[in-house]
């Protein structure tokens, strides 16, 4: 859908690739590691973090610390380890970011 909207330019590739996995078991293209656009890898980690710290109808939100632990556990399989490290540094540098779910 986004590819048809000129305003979004190449952003559609980031959206398309954000369900790819670092180990290649994602979708829609089965890309792995550095084949996945870096913006899509960043979007994947940030979207996953946000989903974990947000209440859902089927479960309560995780604490920010628990969400970061889950991201760390899934490094090298689901997430690019360098992206998770960078996200953690950003969240640590902005203490308010860790309090989002509180």
């Amino acid at each position: 859908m986004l590819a048809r909207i000129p305003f979004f330019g190449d952003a559609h590739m980031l959206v398309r690739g954000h369900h790819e996995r670092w180990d290649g078991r994602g979708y829609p293209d089965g890309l792995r590691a550095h084949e996945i656009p870096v913006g899509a890898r960043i979007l994947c980690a940030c979207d996953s973090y946000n989903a974990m710290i947000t209440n859902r109808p089927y479960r309560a939100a995780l604490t920010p610390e628990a969400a970061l632990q889950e991201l760390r556990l899934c490094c090298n399989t689901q997430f690019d380890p360098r992206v998770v490290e960078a996200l953690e540094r950003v969240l640590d540098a902005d203490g308010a970011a860790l309090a989002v779910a509180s």
Side-chain angles (χ1 to χ4, degrees), residues 50-92:
N50 180 263
M52 287 186 264
I53 65 167
T54 303
N55 283 320
R56 302 294 178 164
Y58 51 87
R59 62 140 180 86
L62 296 179
T63 65
E65 295 80 10
L68 281 173
Q69 182 60 29
E70 184 65 23
L71 290 175
R72 287 185 208 109
L73 288 172
C74 295
C75 280
N76 292 311
T77 55
Q78 185 172 354
F79 305 111
D80 176 343
R82 292 186 315 156
V83 169
V84 172
E85 289 170 10
L87 176 58
E88 188 169 4
R89 284 193 305 271
V90 168
L91 294 172
D92 285 344

Side-chain angles (χ1 to χ4, degrees), residues 38-60:
V38 69
R41 289 181 262 154
I42 293 167
L43 184 58
C44 177
C46 293
D47 183 50
S48 296
Y49 175 80
N50 180 263
M52 287 186 264
I53 65 167
T54 303
N55 283 320
R56 302 294 178 164
Y58 51 87
R59 62 140 180 86

